Amino acid sequence: MNDASSSPLDWYRSAVFYEVMVRSFRDTNGDGYGDLAGMSEKLDYLSWLGIDAVWLPPFFASPLRDGGYDISDYTAVNPLFGTMEQFDALLDGAHARGMKVVIDLVINHTSDQHVWFQESRRDPNGPFGDFYLWSGTNERFENVRIIFTDTEDSNWAWDDERKQYYWHRFFSHQPDLNYDNPAVHEAVFDVVRFWAKKGVDGFRLDAIPYLYVSDEGNGESEPPTHAFIARLRAMLDTEFPGRMLVAEANQLPRQVVEYFGTPDAPECNMAFNFPVMPYIFWALASGETTGLRGTLTELPEIQGGSAWGVFLRNHDELTLEMVTEAERATMYELYAPEPRMKVNVGIRRRLAPLLDNRRDKLEVANALLLCLPGSPFLYYGDEIGMGDNIWLDDRDASRTPMQWDASASGGFSHADPSSFYLPVVTSEGFTTAEVNVEEQRADPDSLLNWTKAILELRHRLGVMGTGSTRVLTTDHPSVLAFVREPNGPGVPVLCAFNFSENAAEVTISGIGPAGARLVNARGGAEVGEVGEDEGMALALPAMSWHWLTVS
Ligand code: NOJ
Ligand code: CA
């Protein structure tokens, strides 16, 4: 079942990932919920598109009060989504197509419906009595911030049964596990082994900075949290080599870099680069590239074998936690003109609506994503420019049914659309009749076929996954340029972006050896020759992107 041996151990460094919530993709049994059988049915589509790995957010038993991130049984499939046999079939189907499957590992907290919590509140002296953090007072850990600012006003909640408070970093129905209890470690290891044995290729470590909290710290990235991750990684490397851990730590890269660990005590293979994302949107709206250039220049070196994960959108709000207060205010002005668009510390919109459904901006955003240092994570539906519904609860705005065809149900299900887990998007410009896979597949000029082509190009060039990055100087404030340089065979690629609404005449310095020839990687037209001073003048159309090979 497990084919990890047939590909290199660091497969994730050159992979393009695709995030899709099972319930959002395709409903095969007509109950209005997307299911595992539907995921299997659509694997051919993902393979046609050029996806190397899918990331499935939680599909486990859950009351679904937080999109499944509230787990009530870690080793059971939610019956709404199908059966364990169907999960096994999905894994086999993906592997047969050379695709990896990454699942979420939500080990900071469980649902309050989990039997561990039920037992913990019932019997303080029983085997699960110390599985969670209980306290007679709600005044401990007062310097720990609140994450879900829209819904929670404390990290403590009162339990009427045990007559104590319990600690939670997210919703109050998600009690945090107590990592000071070694039995919790063993229970978590059992969960990881269960899925690793099945052949799952990697795990996204949800909310990983918050495992430990102490009176001295602020509950984020405390030293024992790192020690635990290192133990987890050591177990995987020994028992299941080639499996990947990706850290969801919404922090600055110089802090996140700790999640890669050290050569002696490696932790995660990958970590998301959160802050680069808002700066991409900033540049697209304002034409200013200072923030983007800054965050790329300051990106710390990471140890061999590690990789960043980069993304434009995901199943959560477009988070603005990592920008300054002033920058956040500007981002809200630019991207959340309607108050309802804001949620927590971020924005609940999808990529295409954020970019005014402008094809030039969608191309620039995706082309940049696909050549940034690291591996890109696409979000389902963005490849066709799907819309959102900001009036849905919480972060459901961008979790609506995938639009496969022009019918009222979008081809998501044969059930009546009124029974779907969430309504299909009906806003102008984004209806199923206007945005769907079937028609875009047939149209050579569609966003979908453009996306497929650029994924092919990325794979062909090779350098984007494992190459290093050198940010260049330009004499135009709206032009960002950097070179991706191979660590091995292959040729360097100059990546240049003009975020201005006007054409730019720009000189880019420090490209590389004088006399090197620049060739457009799309189409092969020769663009010019690097000058004596290793620089070059280029004329870039308004809102445009360029991948030029340097040889
Ligand atoms: C991060 C997940 O991405 C988010 O959707 C979830 O609500 C929280 N972790 C809590 O698990
Ligand atoms: Ca279903």
Side-chain angles (χ1 to χ4, degrees), residues 172-456:
S172 58
H173 58 76
Q174 288 165 314
D176 275 34
L177 286 163
N178 172 20
Y179 278 82
D180 283 322
N181 178 357
V184 167
H185 297 204
E186 289 322 304
V188 165
F189 272 47
D190 285 347
V191 170
V192 177
R193 285 195 178 99
F194 175 89
W195 292 103
K197 266 186 202 140
K198 283 195 170 291
V200 159
D201 303 284
F203 300 91
R204 168 185 178 271
L205 298 181
D206 179 73
I208 199 63
Y210 313 120
L211 298 192
Y212 279 83
V213 57
S214 67
D215 290 311
E216 306 74 47
N218 68 351
E220 304 202 9
S221 310
E222 299 209 8
T225 295
H226 286 291
F228 173 79
I229 305 170
R231 283 219 303 131
L232 177 61
R233 171 70 184 276
M235 182 277 276
L236 281 173
D237 281 355
T238 311
E239 298 177 28
F240 306 97
R243 311 309 167 87
M244 182 274 280
L245 292 176
V246 51
E248 188 225 4
N250 190 351
Q251 304 176 342
L252 298 175
R254 67 181 139 79
Q255 302 165 315
V256 174
V257 80
E258 291 177 14
Y259 286 87
F260 294 115
T262 61
D264 291 336
E267 296 179 29
C268 296
N269 312 73
M270 299 187 76
F272 287 112
N273 179 348
F274 274 90
V276 71
M277 179 273 296
Y279 291 117
I280 298 175
F281 286 97
W282 182 288
L284 286 160
S286 66
E288 291 164 20
T289 56
T290 319
L292 199 45
R293 191 188 314 266
T295 187
L296 288 177
T297 312
E298 285 158 27
L299 200 63
E301 283 291 315
I302 54 180
Q303 64 193 16
S306 326
W308 293 104
V310 288
F311 60 96
L312 295 168
R313 290 296 294 111
N314 60 24
H315 68 286
D316 286 327
E317 69 274 33
L318 188 170
T319 171
L320 296 174
E321 282 179 6
M322 284 307 118
V323 297
T324 64
E325 223 166 288
E327 289 171 332
R328 191 174 308 142
T330 306
M331 281 292 287
Y332 279 139
E333 255 166 57
L334 295 170
Y335 286 110
E338 162 80 58
R340 175 73 195 176
M341 292 170 174
K342 296 184 192 172
V343 61
N344 299 319
V345 190
I347 302 173
R348 56 176 127 211
R349 302 181 73 192
R350 255 196 191 265
L351 184 63
L354 281 163
L355 302 184
D356 300 323
N357 211 5
R358 273 178 54 179
R359 177 66 180 267
D360 55 353
K361 285 194 174 185
L362 285 165
E363 289 190 14
V364 168
N366 278 298
L368 174 57
L369 180 79
L370 290 170
C371 67
L372 285 177
S375 299
F377 284 67
L378 310 184
Y379 185 53
Y380 88 94
D382 283 347
E383 75 275 26
I384 53 171
M386 249 171 73
D388 53 33
N389 181 347
I390 58 168
W391 303 103
L392 298 176
D393 264 0
D394 192 16
R395 288 150 293 161
D396 282 347
S398 45
R399 300 173 179 177
T400 61
M402 178 71 174
Q403 298 178 189
W404 297 104
D405 66 31
S407 66
S409 70
F412 167 70
S413 165
H414 60 259
D416 186 305
S418 66
S419 72
F420 290 3
Y421 72 99
L422 284 178
V424 172
V425 168
T426 52
S427 48
E428 204 188 320
F430 298 102
T431 61
T432 54
E434 290 160 299
V435 176
N436 68 71
V437 170
E438 190 174 69
E439 286 172 11
Q440 290 200 25
R441 261 184 99 146
D443 172 4
D445 297 324
S446 67
L447 181 63
L448 179 60
N449 275 309
W450 178 87
T451 305
K452 177 180 163 59
I454 193 168
L455 291 183
E456 256 166 30

